[in-house]
Amino acid sequence: MLNPRNLLQELNAELNEAEQKRLYHYRRIRPFRIGFNLGMTVTAGLIIYAFIFPDEGATAAGIAGAIFMFSLVVYGIKHSSEQGQFKDHFQRHVVEKIIPKLGLGFSYQARGGFPQQRLEESSLFGYFNRHQSEDFVSGKISGRTISFAEVKLERQSGSDSNKSKTVFSGIYLEVKLAQRFMAPCWLVRKRKSLSENKSAHEVKLAQETQTLTGKYKLYSENKDFARELFTAEVLRKLIAVNSDLRSRKVIWGNLAFAFIDDSIRIALNMRRKFMEPDLFKAVCHPAIIHSQVSGSAIVGALMFLIFPLGNFSYISI
Protein backbone atom coordinates (compact mmCIF):
# COMPACT_ATOMS: atom_id res chain seq x y z
CA MET A 1 0.00 0.00 0.00
CA LEU A 2 1.11 3.56 -0.64
CA ASN A 3 3.23 4.95 2.20
CA PRO A 4 2.20 8.56 2.92
CA ARG A 5 5.58 9.38 4.51
CA ASN A 6 7.50 8.25 1.43
CA LEU A 7 5.14 10.28 -0.69
CA LEU A 8 5.83 13.36 1.40
CA GLN A 9 9.52 13.04 0.60
CA GLU A 10 9.03 12.46 -3.13
CA LEU A 11 6.65 15.38 -3.55
CA ASN A 12 8.20 17.71 -1.00
CA ALA A 13 8.50 20.67 -3.39
CA GLU A 14 4.95 20.31 -4.76
CA LEU A 15 3.46 19.92 -1.28
CA ASN A 16 5.33 22.94 0.07
CA GLU A 17 4.07 24.98 -2.85
CA ALA A 18 0.53 23.74 -2.22
CA GLU A 19 0.83 24.62 1.48
CA GLN A 20 1.94 28.16 0.60
CA LYS A 21 -1.04 28.38 -1.74
CA ARG A 22 -3.35 27.18 1.02
CA LEU A 23 -1.99 29.75 3.48
CA TYR A 24 -2.45 32.48 0.87
CA HIS A 25 -6.14 31.64 0.41
CA TYR A 26 -6.60 31.05 4.13
CA ARG A 27 -5.32 34.57 4.91
CA ARG A 28 -7.70 35.99 2.31
CA ILE A 29 -10.71 34.27 3.88
CA ARG A 30 -9.76 34.68 7.53
CA PRO A 31 -11.22 38.21 7.97
CA PHE A 32 -14.51 36.98 6.48
CA ARG A 33 -14.52 34.03 8.86
CA ILE A 34 -13.95 36.32 11.83
CA GLY A 35 -16.72 38.56 10.57
CA PHE A 36 -19.04 35.58 10.23
CA ASN A 37 -18.31 34.46 13.81
CA LEU A 38 -18.94 37.99 15.08
CA GLY A 39 -22.19 38.06 13.13
CA MET A 40 -23.26 34.80 14.75
CA THR A 41 -22.38 36.21 18.20
CA VAL A 42 -24.44 39.36 17.62
CA THR A 43 -27.31 37.25 16.26
CA ALA A 44 -27.29 35.04 19.38
CA GLY A 45 -27.24 38.15 21.60
CA LEU A 46 -30.22 39.66 19.81
CA ILE A 47 -32.20 36.42 20.09
CA ILE A 48 -31.52 36.33 23.86
CA TYR A 49 -32.52 40.01 24.06
CA ALA A 50 -35.79 39.22 22.27
CA PHE A 51 -36.65 36.60 24.90
CA ILE A 52 -35.81 38.91 27.80
CA PHE A 53 -37.70 41.87 26.35
CA PRO A 54 -40.64 40.40 24.42
CA ASP A 55 -42.11 43.84 23.67
CA GLU A 56 -39.17 44.58 21.42
CA GLY A 57 -38.70 40.96 20.37
CA ALA A 58 -40.00 41.37 16.82
CA THR A 59 -37.55 44.13 16.00
CA ALA A 60 -34.63 42.32 17.58
CA ALA A 61 -35.53 39.08 15.80
CA GLY A 62 -35.71 40.88 12.45
CA ILE A 63 -32.32 42.48 12.94
CA ALA A 64 -30.87 39.12 14.02
CA GLY A 65 -32.23 37.43 10.92
CA ALA A 66 -30.81 40.12 8.65
CA ILE A 67 -27.37 39.93 10.25
CA PHE A 68 -27.38 36.14 10.06
CA MET A 69 -28.32 36.04 6.38
CA PHE A 70 -25.84 38.77 5.42
CA SER A 71 -22.97 37.08 7.29
CA LEU A 72 -23.84 33.67 5.85
CA VAL A 73 -24.09 34.84 2.23
CA VAL A 74 -20.91 36.95 2.27
CA TYR A 75 -18.84 34.26 3.98
CA GLY A 76 -20.29 31.51 1.79
CA ILE A 77 -19.42 33.32 -1.44
CA LYS A 78 -15.89 34.12 -0.30
CA HIS A 79 -15.25 30.59 1.02
CA SER A 80 -16.48 29.00 -2.21
CA SER A 81 -14.21 31.24 -4.28
CA GLU A 82 -11.04 30.68 -2.23
CA GLN A 83 -11.66 26.94 -1.76
CA GLY A 84 -12.26 26.51 -5.49
CA GLN A 85 -8.98 28.22 -6.45
CA PHE A 86 -7.01 26.19 -3.91
CA LYS A 87 -8.67 22.95 -5.04
CA ASP A 88 -7.75 23.61 -8.69
CA HIS A 89 -4.11 24.19 -7.78
CA PHE A 90 -4.00 21.11 -5.54
CA GLN A 91 -5.46 18.82 -8.19
CA ARG A 92 -3.18 20.08 -10.98
CA HIS A 93 0.07 20.12 -9.03
CA VAL A 94 -0.36 17.37 -6.41
CA VAL A 95 -3.12 14.86 -7.16
CA GLU A 96 -2.09 14.39 -10.80
CA LYS A 97 1.37 13.35 -9.59
CA ILE A 98 0.18 11.18 -6.71
CA ILE A 99 -2.24 8.92 -8.59
CA PRO A 100 0.43 7.40 -10.92
CA LYS A 101 2.57 6.66 -7.85
CA LEU A 102 -0.04 4.21 -6.57
CA GLY A 103 1.75 1.68 -8.75
CA LEU A 104 -1.39 0.26 -10.38
CA GLY A 105 -1.18 2.05 -13.72
CA PHE A 106 -3.86 4.56 -12.72
CA SER A 107 -4.35 7.83 -14.59
CA TYR A 108 -6.26 10.83 -13.25
CA GLN A 109 -8.49 13.51 -14.80
CA ALA A 110 -9.68 16.21 -12.42
CA ARG A 111 -12.51 17.27 -14.75
CA GLY A 112 -13.25 13.79 -16.07
CA GLY A 113 -16.20 11.66 -15.05
CA PHE A 114 -19.03 9.37 -16.10
CA PRO A 115 -21.75 10.70 -18.43
CA GLN A 116 -25.31 10.74 -17.10
CA GLN A 117 -26.43 8.06 -19.56
CA ARG A 118 -23.83 5.62 -18.22
CA LEU A 119 -25.05 6.14 -14.67
CA GLU A 120 -28.67 5.70 -15.72
CA GLU A 121 -27.82 2.42 -17.47
CA SER A 122 -26.65 0.94 -14.17
CA SER A 123 -30.17 1.33 -12.69
CA LEU A 124 -28.59 1.75 -9.25
CA PHE A 125 -29.76 5.23 -8.27
CA GLY A 126 -33.46 5.67 -8.83
CA TYR A 127 -34.64 8.75 -10.69
CA PHE A 128 -32.34 11.79 -10.95
CA ASN A 129 -32.17 14.73 -13.37
CA ARG A 130 -29.01 16.55 -12.25
CA HIS A 131 -25.56 15.02 -12.13
CA GLN A 132 -21.98 16.02 -11.38
CA SER A 133 -18.96 13.80 -11.90
CA GLU A 134 -15.29 14.61 -11.40
CA ASP A 135 -11.94 13.17 -10.26
CA PHE A 136 -11.96 10.34 -12.79
CA VAL A 137 -9.41 7.58 -12.13
CA SER A 138 -8.77 4.67 -14.48
CA GLY A 139 -6.26 1.82 -14.73
CA LYS A 140 -5.91 -1.95 -14.61
CA ILE A 141 -5.90 -4.48 -11.79
CA SER A 142 -5.11 -8.12 -12.60
CA GLY A 143 -5.58 -7.35 -16.29
CA ARG A 144 -9.06 -5.90 -15.81
CA THR A 145 -9.84 -2.27 -16.58
CA ILE A 146 -11.13 -0.39 -13.56
CA SER A 147 -12.47 3.16 -13.55
CA PHE A 148 -14.15 5.24 -10.90
CA ALA A 149 -15.06 8.84 -10.16
CA GLU A 150 -16.75 10.96 -7.57
CA VAL A 151 -20.42 11.42 -8.43
CA LYS A 152 -23.25 13.52 -7.05
CA LEU A 153 -26.80 12.92 -8.27
CA GLU A 154 -29.80 15.09 -7.47
CA ARG A 155 -33.50 15.06 -8.19
CA GLN A 156 -34.81 18.54 -8.95
CA SER A 157 -38.51 19.15 -8.51
CA GLY A 158 -40.24 21.83 -10.53
CA SER A 159 -38.53 24.81 -12.09
CA ASP A 160 -36.80 25.96 -8.90
CA SER A 161 -33.17 24.81 -9.09
CA ASN A 162 -32.80 25.31 -5.32
CA LYS A 163 -35.42 22.64 -4.58
CA SER A 164 -33.46 19.47 -5.09
CA LYS A 165 -32.82 16.27 -3.17
CA THR A 166 -29.51 14.44 -3.16
CA VAL A 167 -30.08 10.94 -4.54
CA PHE A 168 -26.47 9.78 -4.30
CA SER A 169 -23.13 11.22 -3.27
CA GLY A 170 -20.02 9.09 -3.41
CA ILE A 171 -17.95 7.00 -5.79
CA TYR A 172 -19.26 5.12 -8.81
CA LEU A 173 -16.95 2.33 -9.93
CA GLU A 174 -16.82 -0.01 -12.94
CA VAL A 175 -14.75 -3.09 -13.76
CA LYS A 176 -14.63 -4.45 -17.31
CA LEU A 177 -14.59 -8.22 -17.75
CA ALA A 178 -13.43 -10.36 -20.66
CA GLN A 179 -16.87 -11.93 -21.01
CA ARG A 180 -20.48 -10.85 -20.78
CA PHE A 181 -23.19 -11.77 -18.32
CA MET A 182 -26.09 -13.73 -19.78
CA ALA A 183 -28.55 -11.41 -18.06
CA PRO A 184 -28.25 -8.28 -15.91
CA CYS A 185 -28.30 -8.80 -12.14
CA TRP A 186 -28.42 -6.44 -9.18
CA LEU A 187 -27.56 -6.91 -5.52
CA VAL A 188 -29.09 -4.04 -3.55
CA ARG A 189 -30.84 -3.35 -0.26
CA LYS A 190 -33.78 -1.39 -1.66
CA ARG A 191 -35.89 -2.21 -4.71
CA LYS A 192 -36.58 1.46 -5.41
CA SER A 193 -32.92 2.00 -6.25
CA LEU A 194 -33.41 0.01 -9.46
CA SER A 195 -34.88 3.06 -11.16
CA GLU A 196 -37.76 2.24 -13.48
CA ASN A 197 -36.48 -1.19 -14.43
CA LYS A 198 -39.71 -3.20 -14.58
CA SER A 199 -38.01 -6.34 -15.85
CA ALA A 200 -35.89 -6.87 -12.73
CA HIS A 201 -37.54 -9.46 -10.49
CA GLU A 202 -36.47 -10.56 -7.03
CA VAL A 203 -34.65 -13.88 -6.99
CA LYS A 204 -35.71 -16.13 -4.13
CA LEU A 205 -32.67 -17.72 -2.51
CA ALA A 206 -32.29 -20.74 -0.28
CA GLN A 207 -32.95 -20.06 3.42
CA GLU A 208 -29.28 -20.48 4.31
CA THR A 209 -28.20 -18.01 1.63
CA GLN A 210 -30.97 -15.57 2.55
CA THR A 211 -29.73 -15.49 6.13
CA LEU A 212 -26.23 -14.76 4.83
CA THR A 213 -27.26 -11.77 2.70
CA GLY A 214 -29.30 -10.10 5.44
CA LYS A 215 -31.23 -7.15 4.04
CA TYR A 216 -29.59 -7.44 0.63
CA LYS A 217 -31.88 -8.62 -2.15
CA LEU A 218 -30.90 -10.17 -5.48
CA TYR A 219 -32.72 -9.08 -8.65
CA SER A 220 -32.36 -10.26 -12.23
CA GLU A 221 -34.13 -10.60 -15.57
CA ASN A 222 -33.14 -14.29 -15.54
CA LYS A 223 -33.73 -15.93 -12.15
CA ASP A 224 -32.14 -19.29 -13.02
CA PHE A 225 -28.97 -17.59 -14.24
CA ALA A 226 -28.79 -15.45 -11.09
CA ARG A 227 -29.15 -18.44 -8.76
CA GLU A 228 -26.38 -20.29 -10.59
CA LEU A 229 -24.09 -17.28 -10.67
CA PHE A 230 -24.51 -16.09 -7.10
CA THR A 231 -23.52 -19.03 -4.98
CA ALA A 232 -23.43 -18.69 -1.20
CA GLU A 233 -19.64 -18.24 -1.37
CA VAL A 234 -19.82 -15.40 -3.89
CA LEU A 235 -22.53 -13.61 -1.90
CA ARG A 236 -20.56 -14.05 1.31
CA LYS A 237 -17.53 -12.35 -0.22
CA LEU A 238 -19.58 -9.49 -1.62
CA ILE A 239 -21.25 -8.84 1.72
CA ALA A 240 -17.86 -9.09 3.46
CA VAL A 241 -16.51 -6.26 1.28
CA ASN A 242 -19.45 -4.09 2.32
CA SER A 243 -18.98 -4.92 6.01
CA ASP A 244 -15.23 -4.25 5.84
CA LEU A 245 -15.63 -0.79 4.29
CA ARG A 246 -18.35 0.13 6.78
CA SER A 247 -16.27 -1.01 9.75
CA ARG A 248 -13.38 1.19 8.57
CA LYS A 249 -15.87 4.07 8.12
CA VAL A 250 -14.99 4.45 4.45
CA ILE A 251 -18.67 4.36 3.50
CA TRP A 252 -21.65 5.51 5.51
CA GLY A 253 -24.34 3.64 3.61
CA ASN A 254 -24.15 0.29 1.84
CA LEU A 255 -22.69 -0.81 -1.47
CA ALA A 256 -24.99 -1.43 -4.40
CA PHE A 257 -23.87 -3.88 -7.11
CA ALA A 258 -24.91 -4.19 -10.77
CA PHE A 259 -23.70 -6.91 -13.17
CA ILE A 260 -24.52 -5.72 -16.68
CA ASP A 261 -23.15 -6.70 -20.09
CA ASP A 262 -19.37 -7.07 -19.62
CA SER A 263 -18.95 -4.98 -16.48
CA ILE A 264 -19.47 -4.93 -12.75
CA ARG A 265 -20.74 -1.60 -11.48
CA ILE A 266 -20.67 -0.51 -7.85
CA ALA A 267 -22.03 2.55 -6.05
CA LEU A 268 -20.29 3.57 -2.80
CA ASN A 269 -21.91 6.16 -0.56
CA MET A 270 -19.00 8.05 0.94
CA ARG A 271 -18.74 10.08 4.14
CA ARG A 272 -16.56 12.70 2.49
CA LYS A 273 -14.79 13.70 -0.69
CA PHE A 274 -11.33 12.12 -0.91
CA MET A 275 -9.87 14.22 -3.71
CA GLU A 276 -10.76 17.61 -2.23
CA PRO A 277 -8.29 19.31 0.17
CA ASP A 278 -9.40 21.29 3.21
CA LEU A 279 -8.54 24.97 3.21
CA PHE A 280 -8.27 24.92 7.00
CA LYS A 281 -5.91 21.90 7.31
CA ALA A 282 -2.22 21.72 6.40
CA VAL A 283 -1.55 19.56 3.34
CA CYS A 284 1.94 18.45 4.46
CA HIS A 285 0.74 15.81 6.89
CA PRO A 286 0.82 12.04 6.17
CA ALA A 287 -2.72 11.45 7.46
CA ILE A 288 -4.13 14.26 5.32
CA ILE A 289 -2.36 13.05 2.19
CA HIS A 290 -3.41 9.46 2.82
CA SER A 291 -7.10 10.20 3.35
CA GLN A 292 -7.76 13.21 1.15
CA VAL A 293 -5.74 12.44 -1.95
CA SER A 294 -5.12 8.74 -2.38
CA GLY A 295 -8.08 7.47 -0.39
CA SER A 296 -10.48 6.70 -3.21
CA ALA A 297 -7.79 5.09 -5.36
CA ILE A 298 -6.73 2.88 -2.46
CA VAL A 299 -10.36 1.96 -1.82
CA GLY A 300 -10.69 0.85 -5.42
CA ALA A 301 -7.47 -1.14 -5.33
CA LEU A 302 -8.30 -2.88 -2.07
CA MET A 303 -11.79 -3.75 -3.16
CA PHE A 304 -10.80 -5.49 -6.34
CA LEU A 305 -7.75 -7.21 -4.96
CA ILE A 306 -10.14 -9.17 -2.74
CA PHE A 307 -13.09 -9.12 -5.14
CA PRO A 308 -14.12 -12.63 -6.33
CA LEU A 309 -14.13 -11.79 -10.02
CA GLY A 310 -12.78 -15.22 -10.95
CA ASN A 311 -15.99 -16.83 -9.75
CA PHE A 312 -17.94 -15.18 -12.56
CA SER A 313 -15.93 -16.20 -15.60
CA TYR A 314 -17.14 -19.77 -15.92
CA ILE A 315 -20.79 -18.91 -16.16
CA SER A 316 -20.83 -15.72 -18.25
CA ILE A 317 -20.78 -15.69 -22.06
Side-chain angles (χ1 to χ4, degrees), residues 6 45-46 94 125 146 168 189 195 219 224 230-231 235 308:
N6 292 342
L46 288 172
V94 179
F125 305 107
I146 173 176
F168 173 81
R189 289 172 66 92
S195 301
Y219 296 88
D224 292 334
F230 291 93
T231 63
L235 289 170

Side-chain angles (χ1 to χ4, degrees), residues 168-182:
F168 173 81
S169 181
I171 289 180
Y172 174 75
L173 197 153
E174 288 192 1
V175 175
K176 286 283 188 179
L177 303 179
Q179 297 171 301
R180 300 172 66 88
F181 294 104
M182 292 179 181

Side-chain angles (χ1 to χ4, degrees), residues 22-255:
R22 184 192 72 82
L23 291 173
Y24 168 76
H25 290 291
Y26 173 76
R27 294 189 190 101
R28 286 171 58 88
I29 199 176
R30 189 176 181 182
F32 291 85
R33 194 179 191 185
I34 294 173
F36 175 75
N37 290 333
L38 289 174
M40 294 304 95
T41 302
V42 173
T43 299
L46 288 172
I47 292 175
I48 294 172
Y49 179 85
F51 276 104
I52 297 175
F53 303 100
D55 294 339
E56 302 176 17
T59 302
I63 296 174
I67 293 175
F68 172 77
M69 290 304 298
F70 178 78
S71 302
L72 182 63
V73 170
V74 172
Y75 176 71
I77 292 174
K78 185 62 176 176
H79 179 271
S80 178
S81 173
E82 300 299 330
Q83 173 70 25
Q85 294 179 57
F86 173 52
K87 176 184 174 181
D88 287 342
H89 176 91
F90 192 78
Q91 289 177 329
R92 285 186 288 108
H93 296 277
V94 179
V95 180
E96 287 185 358
K97 294 185 178 181
I98 287 179
I99 296 299
K101 292 182 180 294
L102 293 173
L104 296 167
F106 282 141
S107 62
Y108 170 72
Q109 300 175 48
R111 298 293 175 263
F114 291 97
Q116 181 169 331
Q117 181 181 359
R118 188 67 178 175
L119 298 171
E120 290 173 340
E121 288 173 357
S122 72
S123 298
L124 285 175
F125 305 107
Y127 174 73
F128 64 92
N129 50 19
R130 296 176 64 180
H131 113 287
Q132 302 173 24
S133 185
E134 61 180 2
D135 295 323
F136 184 79
V137 179
S138 62
K140 285 192 175 185
I141 297 178
S142 300
R144 297 181 175 92
T145 300
I146 173 176
S147 55
F148 52 97
E150 291 185 351
V151 171
K152 184 176 182 180
L153 307 177
E154 296 178 321
R155 179 168 57 249
Q156 179 183 334
S157 57
S159 58
D160 189 350
S161 60
N162 293 321
K163 293 182 178 179
S164 60
K165 178 182 179 181
T166 299
V167 174
F168 173 81
S169 181
I171 289 180
Y172 174 75
L173 197 153
E174 288 192 1
V175 175
K176 286 283 188 179
L177 303 179
Q179 297 171 301
R180 300 172 66 88
F181 294 104
M182 292 179 181
C185 302
W186 296 267
L187 186 64
V188 297
R189 289 172 66 92
K190 295 181 180 179
R191 174 66 176 85
K192 66 179 182 179
S193 66
L194 296 186
S195 301
E196 302 298 320
N197 193 326
K198 305 296 184 182
S199 60
H201 304 287
E202 183 177 351
V203 180
K204 295 297 182 182
L205 302 170
Q207 185 62 42
E208 177 186 354
T209 307
Q210 246 180 353
T211 304
L212 177 70
T213 57
K215 294 184 179 180
Y216 268 99
K217 301 294 183 183
L218 179 62
Y219 296 88
S220 180
E221 296 178 4
N222 186 325
K223 295 183 180 181
D224 292 334
F225 167 72
R227 290 192 189 95
E228 189 177 357
L229 176 63
F230 291 93
T231 63
E233 181 64 14
V234 169
L235 289 170
R236 184 189 66 78
K237 289 181 179 179
L238 291 173
I239 304 302
V241 172
N242 182 74
S243 300
D244 177 60
L245 292 180
R246 281 179 61 87
S247 67
R248 292 191 285 117
K249 298 182 179 180
V250 175
I251 58 175
W252 63 268
N254 291 281
L255 302 180

Side-chain angles (χ1 to χ4, degrees), residues 144 229 231 233-234 237 307-315:
R144 297 181 175 92
L229 176 63
T231 63
E233 181 64 14
V234 169
K237 289 181 179 179
F307 202 80
L309 291 176
N311 295 51
F312 297 133
S313 60
Y314 74 96
I315 198 167

